[in-house]
Amino acid sequence: MWEAVEYAAVAAHFAFLALGILGGFFAWWWPRLIWLQIAAATWLVLVVAAHLPCPLTWVEDRARAHAGQPAHVGGFLDNHVAGVFYPVGHEQAARIVAALVVLSSWTVAASAWRWRRRAGNPSRSRRSSPDPAARP
């Protein structure tokens, strides 16, 4: 049972990491998701920059201990991400790339929302007719 808890914690970690880094792209279609993505990205920055303990890492470590497995040295990124998604020793470059992905998703999301707002409101469009009766 404890191995299942460990696997669930690892899966939740990957899902949270995906939300924190890639969630802005999903917010293009579901704009309300941006607030959850901002919270996740903020938490990721705090965990990495301030070396805060992650609750999911705590759950994974406790599950490993109860399952009789040796403890991991380091956190989730050290044990499950480094060497898989980026080369070991290139953490700073990976952080920069992740930040650029997040910022680019926010930039495109903001422009998509502006475009939709303009398209949904013909009175704000430059191509709208000044005569309200001429509008479809």
Side-chain angles (χ1 to χ4, degrees):
M1 176 183 112
W2 290 108
E3 286 183 2
V5 173
E6 175 191 356
Y7 293 141
V10 171
H13 254 128
F14 275 114
F16 191 78
L17 186 63
L19 174 65
I21 295 174
L22 303 173
F25 293 108
F26 295 111
W28 295 359
W29 293 279
W30 301 293
R32 291 183 183 171
L33 182 65
I34 196 67
W35 298 112
L36 187 59
Q37 195 277 331
I38 289 171
T42 301
W43 179 254
L44 291 173
V45 168
L46 287 173
V47 166
V48 171
H51 305 289
L52 294 178
C54 178
L56 290 171
T57 300
W58 183 87
V59 170
E60 181 185 354
D61 290 346
R62 297 295 104 34
R64 288 182 65 80
H66 285 293
Q69 297 175 2
H72 279 307
V73 176
F76 172 74
L77 295 176
D78 298 329
N79 293 296
H80 301 288
V81 179
V84 176
F85 292 101
Y86 59 85
V88 175
H90 290 87
E91 289 79 12
Q92 190 63 27
R95 290 176 189 151
I96 291 169
V97 169
L100 291 173
V101 168
V102 170
L103 293 174
S104 67
S105 72
W106 291 350
T107 302
V108 175
S111 87
W113 299 331
R114 271 187 249 121
W115 179 82
R116 282 189 192 135
R117 202 173 312 137
R118 279 189 228 137
N121 188 353
S123 65
R124 297 183 81 190
S125 174
R126 292 180 187 177
R127 295 182 181 174
S128 67
S129 171
D131 181 15
R135 291 188 191 139

